[in-house]
Amino acid sequence: MGIGEWASLAAALMWTLSSLLWGRIHLSALALNLCKNFIAIAIIGVHLAVLIFLTGEPRLDLSLETWSWLGLSGLTGIVIGDTLYFRSIQILGPRLALMVATTCPIFVAVLGWLLLNENLQIYGIIGILLAVGGVIIVVADRKASKEKPGLFPGEHSIGVALGLLASICQAVGAVASKIGMAYENCDPLVATLVRIVVAAIATLGIVLYQKKLKELFPKIFTWPVMRVLIP
C-alpha cells in the first residue's frame, strides 16, 4: 500500500478511537463540536508554528478560491456534518454510529465520480454495494435498536437518519476540500486549520445567536470534558 492508503487507515483508527471518547461527554452535539474545534485549532496552530519556525514551510498565503472551497468544506463537513455525527453517536452509541458512518466513503466516491471525473471501477461498485448491504443488516437488527448508548437518548430511526446526513455532509466537505487544495497544492495541515477555523467561527456564531454561551462555557472547560477531548 502507498502512503495515501496508510494515512487513510490511520485516520480511520483515530476517528474510531475519538468516537468512543465523544460518546462519554455530557455535552450537546453542538457544544461538543465547538469545544473540539477550538482545541484542534490550538493543537494544529502550535504544530504549524513549529514547522514554519524550523523550515519556513508551509505557506499560509492562500488564494481566495482556496479559502472559499476550504471554507465551504468546513461549513458542510465540520459544522453540519460533525454536529449531526455527534448527535448520532449520542442516540445510537459509538458502534452503530460508526457503522452508519462507513457510508461516508461511498458518498465521497460517488461525488468524486460525478464532480471530479474520478474513475469508479466495477470492483468499487461491488464494494459500495457490499458496504451498503452490511450497514442495512446491522442497522436493521432488532437488538441494535435496543442498545442504551448513553446520555442523550433518542429514536433509533432518527439516529440512523442523522448519521446518514452526517456522512453526506462530510463527503461534500471532503470533495470541497480536495478541490480547494488542488488550486495551489495547499499543504494538508494548512487546509485543515483553515477548515477548522471557519467551522469554529461559524459554530461560535450559532451558539451566540442561541444565547447559550454563558450556559455552555462553564460546562465545556471542565477537567472531565478536557480529559476526554484533548487526547
Side-chain angles (χ1 to χ4, degrees), residues 165-186:
L165 287 173
S167 292
I168 294 172
C169 291
Q170 288 166 349
V172 172
V175 172
S177 178
K178 184 173 183 178
I179 295 173
M181 292 173 63
Y183 269 98
E184 50 191 308
N185 197 24
C186 177

Side-chain angles (χ1 to χ4, degrees), residues 10 16 27 62 65 71-72 81 91 95-96 128 139 146 207:
T16 300
L27 290 174
L62 305 177
E65 290 84 358
L72 174 63
I91 295 175
R95 184 182 74 86
L96 276 179
I128 288 175
V139 170
K146 295 179 181 179
V207 172

Side-chain angles (χ1 to χ4, degrees), residues 129-153:
L129 294 176
L130 289 174
V132 171
V135 171
I136 292 174
I137 291 172
V138 173
V139 170
D141 184 5
R142 292 184 179 181
K143 293 181 180 179
S145 63
K146 295 179 181 179
E147 289 185 2
K148 302 295 183 182
L151 304 170
F152 298 90

Side-chain angles (χ1 to χ4, degrees), residues 111-128:
L111 288 174
W113 175 61
L114 291 174
L115 302 178
L116 303 179
N117 295 319
E118 295 181 347
N119 292 327
L120 190 59
Q121 304 292 343
I122 184 63
Y123 59 82
I125 296 175
I126 294 174
I128 288 175

